[in-house]
Amino acid sequence: VLKEKILPKHIEGNLLTKAEGNPFYIEEWLILLLKKWKGKDDIFENEEILIPDNLNALVLSRIDLLEDPIKQVLQKASVIGAEFYENILSELHSRVNEKNNLRSDLDELTRMEFIRKLLSQEKFYAFKHIITRDVTYNTLLKSNRKILHGITGEIIEEYFSHSIESFYYELATHYDIAENNDKAIEYLTLAADKAKKKKEDENAKLP
């Protein structure tokens, strides 16, 4: 990232102090620096080049630099979870009347290292770090979270009706935050029954 630039000692010391040995902090700060630098020669003389006090503040600084449409995609993804299917996000996106190109936004978020594409399944993504997901999620108003979780629950029910048992706990969580108590209790009960059955099956296999 720095190329020929030499990191001034006072910045290096401050960075290492605030990173507290966390390589993710340093990586995120370098990406933030690259975004703000844009080839300027006097980057380290610029008062805007600050070192946030903690990792959450650093990640939030990166999120704040995103254009609103891309930021909104990241926020919706955070509602789905730390990992998400593109088709679920796409449907959520369309149901709240967003018209921008989702695929190009996902490509951009991948390039900027907010998310990564998982090779295990097609069109399946994950946040690069759980902290990135959590900080993004906390930028949403609680009222908006409630709406988005409710819609997400409905979409999962529609798209995965053939394998709904794999999503019992996730659905209970979505409907709980959406304050749909009946469905939250229904899926939480199903999740508990599934866990109990699994435990009984495992015990039955013991000698």
Side-chain angles (χ1 to χ4, degrees):
V1 173
L2 295 178
K3 297 181 181 179
E4 302 299 323
K5 294 287 183 182
I6 297 176
L7 194 65
K9 289 295 182 183
H10 71 282
I11 293 180
E12 179 181 352
N14 195 12
L15 176 63
L16 293 175
T17 297
K18 292 183 177 180
E20 296 181 333
N22 189 337
F24 182 58
Y25 182 101
I26 295 175
E27 183 180 352
E28 288 290 285
W29 184 78
L30 288 172
I31 295 173
L32 176 65
L33 181 67
L34 181 62
K35 177 69 176 178
K36 287 190 172 183
W37 183 0
K38 298 179 181 177
K40 297 176 182 177
D41 292 330
D42 60 345
I43 184 64
F44 295 124
E45 298 174 10
N46 191 330
E47 293 182 359
E48 291 184 1
I49 303 303
L50 302 176
I51 303 177
D53 290 333
N54 54 62
L55 184 54
N56 282 24
L58 174 55
V59 173
L60 182 59
S61 295
R62 290 196 59 213
I63 294 170
D64 286 342
L65 290 176
L66 293 173
E67 295 179 0
D68 282 344
I70 297 180
K71 181 179 179 180
Q72 289 165 11
V73 169
L74 194 66
Q75 288 172 321
K76 293 185 187 71
S78 74
V79 170
I80 300 171
E83 299 177 348
F84 57 93
Y85 288 95
E86 181 180 332
N87 61 345
I88 298 297
L89 179 58
S90 178
E91 184 65 22
L92 177 60
H93 206 53
S94 65
R95 290 194 188 187
V96 292
N97 299 318
E98 299 290 348
K99 303 298 183 183
N100 52 307
N101 190 323
L102 180 64
R103 175 56 66 83
S104 65
D105 288 344
L106 288 174
D107 289 343
E108 181 67 6
L109 288 168
T110 301
R111 186 189 68 78
M112 297 177 71
E113 299 188 52
F114 284 99
I115 61 175
R116 57 192 174 91
K117 197 168 186 178
L118 297 179
L119 299 178
S120 58
Q121 299 185 51
E122 185 180 2
K123 297 182 180 180
F124 190 52
Y125 294 82
F127 278 83
K128 182 180 177 181
H129 198 287
I130 189 61
I131 292 175
T132 305
R133 183 267 172 184
D134 291 346
V135 172
T136 303
Y137 183 79
N138 287 330
T139 63
L140 285 164
L141 296 174
K142 288 186 177 181
S143 57
N144 289 341
R145 292 181 206 169
K146 176 181 175 181
I147 294 169
L148 292 171
H149 276 288
I151 297 173
T152 299
E154 293 171 359
I155 295 171
I156 292 174
E157 285 179 316
E158 294 171 14
Y159 276 58
F160 294 98
S161 58
H162 59 288
S163 57
I164 198 70
E165 67 277 358
S166 298
F167 297 90
Y168 286 158
Y169 183 76
E170 288 82 356
L171 284 165
T173 301
H174 286 305
Y175 283 124
D176 178 48
I177 298 173
E179 298 181 11
N180 186 332
N181 295 329
D182 290 342
K183 284 205 168 186
I185 292 172
E186 173 189 350
Y187 282 113
L188 191 59
T189 302
L190 288 169
D193 290 344
K194 179 183 175 183
K196 181 180 178 182
K197 177 68 164 55
K198 181 180 179 182
K199 184 64 175 178
E200 290 174 346
D201 290 344
E202 290 174 350
N203 289 338
K205 294 178 182 178
L206 294 175

